[in-house]
């Protein structure tokens, strides 16, 4: 259906990207009320929220864009970095029909979320004791153990569930995801 990796990156087969958040800045102010009239699936109510919300269909998924009057964009909900960038490019070209926009190369990946499975059940209270310096587990508040991993001088959070499933968040590249996954499998 769609690729879950950048064209030049190789994602660990134990992982699947489920959400990418990226930001961009077109460098000039936008007339959100005018844009909202021309965009399908758009909602703009500046009294409730400062940004125009727009959902776009792209490669079988529906990334959501927040378009701020300052010219800043946030894209969330894309299943890969490549699809998020392409969806932004597609929206950018479409918006140029209604308002002049400066060409931007300032597209930044803020967060990549992936999930996978360890293939075995986990005893979370035991792991919380074993990794007490880098783990948080409060079963009454959240059913997962939160384990902090250090990857490329950044903290990547692994939410571990007793079923053996896990979610990695806090990375910006597939390489960092791979390193976090390898580190997680080595620890467990």
């Amino acid at each position: 259906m769609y690729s879950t990796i950048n064209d030049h990156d190789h994602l660990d087969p134990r992982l699947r990207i489920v959400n990418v958040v990226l930001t961009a800045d077109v460098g000039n102010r936008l007339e959100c009320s005018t844009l909202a009239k021309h965009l399908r699936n758009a909602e703009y109510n500046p009294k409730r929220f400062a940004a125009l919300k727009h959902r776009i269909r792209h490669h079988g998924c529906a990334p959501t864009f927040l378009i701020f009057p300052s010219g800043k964009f946030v894209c969330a909900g894309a299943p890969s970095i490549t699809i998020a960038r392409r969806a932004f490019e597609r929206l950018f070209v479409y918006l140029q029909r209604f308002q002049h926009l400066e060409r931007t190369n300032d597209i930044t990946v803020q967060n990549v979320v992936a999930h996978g499975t360890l293939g075995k059940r986990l005893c979370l209270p035991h792991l919380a004791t074993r990794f007490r310096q880098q783990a948080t587990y409060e079963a009454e508040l959240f059913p997962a153990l939160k384990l902090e991993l250090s990857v490329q001088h950044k903290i990547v959070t692994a939410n571990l569930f007793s079923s053996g499933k896990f979610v990695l968040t806090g990375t910006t590249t597939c390489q960092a995801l791979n390193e976090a996954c390898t580190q997680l499998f080595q620890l467990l």
Side-chain angles (χ1 to χ4, degrees):
M1 187 160 98
Y2 48 77
S3 169
T4 58
I5 58 173
N6 251 346
D7 299 334
H8 58 280
D9 288 335
H10 298 286
L11 189 66
D12 189 305
R14 299 172 289 197
L15 293 174
R16 180 168 174 259
I17 295 176
V18 291
N19 186 27
V20 174
V21 177
L22 64 80
T23 58
D25 187 352
V26 294
N28 56 324
R29 295 202 54 82
L30 301 172
E31 286 296 324
C32 289
S33 55
T34 303
L35 295 176
K37 293 175 187 172
H38 297 287
L39 292 171
R40 276 189 290 154
N41 300 323
E43 177 186 326
Y44 183 57
N45 185 347
K47 292 178 183 173
R48 288 185 55 209
F49 187 62
L52 180 149
K53 292 181 240 173
H54 175 58
R55 197 168 277 237
I56 187 171
R57 289 301 262 157
H58 188 71
H59 287 283
C61 63
T64 299
F65 285 90
L66 298 177
I67 304 169
F68 291 89
S70 64
K72 294 188 185 324
F73 289 70
V74 176
C75 173
S80 77
I81 296 168
T82 303
I83 288 175
R85 287 182 188 273
R86 286 182 186 156
F88 173 75
E89 290 296 326
R90 183 174 150 198
L91 178 63
F92 182 84
V93 168
Y94 184 74
L95 292 179
Q96 283 188 313
R97 294 179 184 175
F98 312 110
Q99 183 173 349
H100 172 72
L101 302 175
E102 298 294 323
R103 191 78 197 139
T104 183
N105 290 325
D106 186 22
I107 300 173
T108 308
V109 177
Q110 299 294 336
N111 191 23
V112 180
V113 179
H115 71 82
T117 184
L118 295 164
K120 61 183 177 183
R121 294 196 58 79
L122 300 174
C123 179
L124 299 181
H126 172 72
L127 291 174
T129 304
R130 183 173 158 203
F131 299 111
R132 74 176 63 90
Q133 296 297 318
Q134 62 199 91
T136 306
Y137 179 57
E138 297 180 35
E140 304 84 26
L141 300 178
F142 188 61
L145 177 129
K146 195 166 127 181
L147 184 64
E148 293 182 346
L149 307 169
S150 179
V151 177
Q152 299 177 356
H153 308 293
K154 293 183 179 177
I155 299 295
V156 176
T157 302
N159 289 322
L160 305 174
F161 296 87
S162 61
S163 65
K165 294 182 189 246
F166 64 90
V167 176
L168 295 174
T169 185
T171 65
T172 57
T173 64
C174 290
Q175 180 184 358
L177 273 175
N178 289 340
E179 288 180 34
C181 184
T182 300
Q183 196 177 119
L184 183 62
F185 273 82
Q186 287 172 350
L187 284 171
L188 302 175

